[in-house]
Amino acid sequence: MFHPTELMTLVVGNKVVDWTEMEKCSVIALTPPPVTLPSFQHMDYRNGYYTEHHTIRIFWKVFYDLPTEAKKKFLVFYTGCNRVPVTGFKNMHMVIQKMDGGPGCERLPVAHTCYNILDLPPYSSEAKLKEKLLQAINFTSGFGIV
């Protein structure tokens, strides 16, 4: 038998988020060839991105520097919901893939919430990535149940 709070957590997900789990639970997919590292399970990097790619490194730096409220907004932008499933990020398959943008790219990141895919242009600097990511996450709305 569930207590009301336990049932609510099962239905709408966890309020408490372990942000490092999102990055740690990753599978690295290089195009070509695919490479899998055992410590990373459910994040694919595609279309030329890989763990040590400049854009991916600055993405995670920008992400970890964001305040908690901005991280929650990113979660809404990326998944359509501000909560993580009860089992955490480890059971979500997440993708960050390169989006064509060219030098001096002004395009915003695009999230495909139904598939947990983030199209991320190859920004040249941390400041540009942060500016565009914040623009994208601040002007989005999700599908929250509660």
Side-chain angles (χ1 to χ4, degrees):
M1 201 64 161
F2 292 107
H3 292 290
T5 55
E6 293 171 327
L7 186 57
M8 183 72 144
T9 300
L10 283 172
V11 173
V12 298
N14 284 322
K15 285 183 183 179
V16 179
V17 181
D18 178 1
W19 299 111
T20 57
E21 183 187 10
M22 189 167 77
E23 181 184 14
K24 287 179 183 173
C25 294
S26 304
V27 168
I28 313 312
L30 302 178
T31 316
V35 173
T36 303
L37 301 177
S39 60
F40 299 105
Q41 297 168 1
H42 299 284
M43 172 90 60
D44 286 340
Y45 298 108
R46 296 184 180 162
N47 298 340
Y49 280 158
Y50 49 94
T51 308
E52 293 301 317
H53 191 280
H54 172 72
T55 302
I56 296 300
R57 285 197 337 250
I58 63 174
F59 168 79
W60 288 114
K61 181 176 183 334
V62 165
F63 178 81
Y64 284 121
D65 288 346
L66 293 175
T68 301
E69 283 308 309
K71 288 177 184 165
K72 288 181 181 179
K73 285 182 178 182
F74 173 80
L75 194 58
V76 171
F77 171 70
Y78 189 58
T79 66
C81 186
N82 67 351
R83 295 181 186 220
V84 177
V86 173
T87 56
F89 288 110
K90 66 180 174 260
N91 291 320
M92 291 175 66
H93 182 83
M94 301 165 71
V95 175
I96 299 176
Q97 62 187 15
K98 188 185 286 187
M99 167 197 263
D100 290 334
C105 180
E106 292 298 319
R107 296 179 72 180
L108 295 175
V110 174
H112 306 276
T113 56
C114 292
Y115 303 103
N116 294 333
I117 296 174
L118 176 67
D119 292 341
L120 186 66
Y123 298 114
S124 57
S125 71
E126 183 179 325
K128 177 64 83 175
L129 190 147
K130 183 175 183 176
E131 171 195 346
K132 296 301 181 182
L133 184 63
L134 287 174
Q135 253 184 305
I137 67 176
N138 285 320
F139 297 102
T140 191
S141 62
F143 323 121
I145 294 173
V146 176

